[in-house]
């Protein structure tokens, strides 16, 4: 609901009507036909979520958006799927995964937060609430926010695994936002794409009709450019 509302806000800001096409990524896994599913699509968003249902279809969606230069926005789990995609197909870590989906993966590019590893009673124990994020100059994120320090709301247990930071950067992934206090990656992009952004937080929760969230605004702006090409 919050994402749909944020789309309305972004549509108003860009003077366009946004038509949503829902994609069942479980079916995408079975049929393996992204060129058919995404025909006529001008932007792809993968929202937050939990569990492994449809995950391979989400990773396939990230890959298709990345390779076909379709504007892409990954939110929370969506960012994690993008990281897995980049690790598998640019770093050649074919078994790359999140330990949420495969605890024995050889390349756990998404890992459980250190603060979560000893928790057995999970109710209300996630990384919740507002956290600061330092935004890197010269990135799509900075172009959207136009400031170096932001605060965004979180709701998750899994994080980018810093062990693989250098490998992924060498493969063209940009780390455009970090929480300096906790040394956590908050935003990623790729260098050779019109607009490919993943965020660990939930920007949709701060979007309002009179103040569209800057990332949603710029995502839709990129989708409009994609439409008009």
């Amino acid at each position: 609901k919050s994402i749909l509302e944020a789309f309305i806000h972004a549509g108003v800001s860009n003077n366009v009507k946004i038509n949503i096409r829902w994609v069942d990524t479980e079916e995408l896994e079975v049929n393996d036909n992204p060129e058919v599913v995404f025909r006529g699509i001008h932007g792809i968003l993968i929202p937050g979520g939990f569990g492994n249902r449809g995950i391979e279809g989400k990773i396939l969606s990230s890959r298709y958006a990345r390779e076909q230069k379709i504007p892409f926005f990954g939110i929370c789990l969506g960012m994690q799927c993008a990281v897995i995609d980049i690790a598998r197909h640019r770093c050649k870590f074919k078994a790359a995964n999140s330990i949420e989906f495969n605890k024995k993966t050889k390349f756990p590019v998404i890992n459980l937060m250190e603060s979560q590893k000893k928790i057995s009673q999970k109710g209300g124990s996630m990384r919740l609430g507002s956290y600061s994020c330092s935004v890197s100059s010269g990135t799509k994120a900075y172009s959207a926010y136009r400031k170096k320090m932001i605060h965004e709301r979180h709701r998750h247990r899994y994080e980018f695994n810093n062990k693989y930071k250098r490998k992924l950067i060498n493969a063209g992934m940009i780390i455009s936002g970090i929480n300096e206090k906790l040394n956590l990656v908050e935003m990623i992009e790729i260098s050779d794409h019109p607009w490919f952004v993943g965020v660990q937080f939930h920007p949709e929760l701060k979007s309002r009709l009179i103040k569209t969230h800057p990332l949603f605004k710029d995502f839709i702006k990129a989708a409009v450019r994609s439409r008009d090409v």
Side-chain angles (χ1 to χ4, degrees):
K1 175 64 173 176
S2 298
I3 287 175
L4 294 179
E5 290 295 318
F7 274 143
I8 293 173
H9 309 158
V12 171
S13 294
N14 285 282
N15 197 30
V16 294
K17 179 181 178 181
I18 299 172
N19 298 307
I20 307 295
R21 182 187 301 175
W22 296 94
V23 173
D24 185 336
T25 53
E26 286 185 296
E27 291 186 9
L28 188 57
E29 290 174 353
V30 173
N31 297 318
D32 192 20
N33 59 346
E35 69 285 349
V36 174
V37 170
F38 294 120
R39 184 176 296 145
I41 286 291
H42 305 117
I44 296 173
L45 182 145
I46 301 177
F50 297 92
N52 61 5
R53 182 177 176 182
I55 284 297
E56 291 301 321
K58 292 182 175 72
I59 296 168
L60 176 60
S61 299
S62 169
R63 182 181 184 183
Y64 189 77
R66 179 174 53 79
E67 293 180 344
Q68 299 302 316
K69 309 299 185 184
I70 299 171
F72 172 86
F73 195 6
I75 295 176
C76 198
L77 177 63
M79 186 199 90
Q80 296 173 5
C81 289
V83 170
I84 294 168
D85 158 40
I86 296 166
R88 287 182 182 180
H89 302 110
R90 284 197 166 183
C91 297
K92 307 303 181 184
F93 298 154
K94 293 184 178 180
N97 217 324
S98 165
I99 65 165
E100 181 180 8
F101 316 131
N102 180 359
K103 296 188 185 308
K104 297 181 179 179
T105 178
K106 185 178 180 181
F107 301 105
V109 292
I110 304 297
N111 206 354
L112 192 64
M113 296 173 64
E114 288 296 325
S115 61
Q116 295 285 324
K117 289 182 177 180
K118 296 181 180 180
I119 294 175
S120 58
Q121 301 297 320
K122 293 185 177 180
S125 62
M126 293 185 290
R127 184 186 178 202
L128 295 166
S130 179
Y131 287 81
S132 64
C133 173
S134 176
V135 185
S136 298
S137 300
T139 61
K140 296 290 193 302
Y142 188 83
S143 178
Y145 284 104
R146 299 186 182 278
K147 53 185 177 181
K148 290 284 292 180
M149 187 62 66
I150 61 170
H151 291 80
E152 293 284 1
R153 291 168 62 182
H154 294 69
R155 186 175 184 270
H156 57 97
R157 286 194 173 86
Y158 296 86
E159 294 279 359
F160 179 91
N161 189 343
N162 286 331
K163 175 182 175 181
Y164 296 94
K165 185 183 291 186
R166 183 51 50 190
K167 293 282 189 181
L168 284 157
I169 290 174
N170 290 341
M173 192 187 83
I174 298 167
I175 295 175
S176 53
I178 61 169
N179 179 291
E180 295 176 333
K181 182 178 180 180
L182 300 174
N183 191 28
L184 296 176
V185 171
E186 300 281 37
M187 292 191 283
I188 64 102
E189 304 177 12
I190 54 176
S191 55
D192 54 346
H193 194 284
W195 209 91
F196 189 104
V197 176
V199 301
Q200 186 58 75
F201 46 81
H202 288 270
E204 70 275 15
L205 299 178
K206 293 183 69 175
S207 188
R208 300 292 184 270
L209 185 58
I210 59 173
K211 191 176 182 181
T212 305
H213 192 285
L215 290 177
F216 273 91
K217 182 178 180 180
D218 275 21
F219 171 54
I220 296 305
K221 184 186 297 183
V224 172
R225 288 198 296 265
S226 176
R227 179 200 65 181
D228 293 342
V229 169

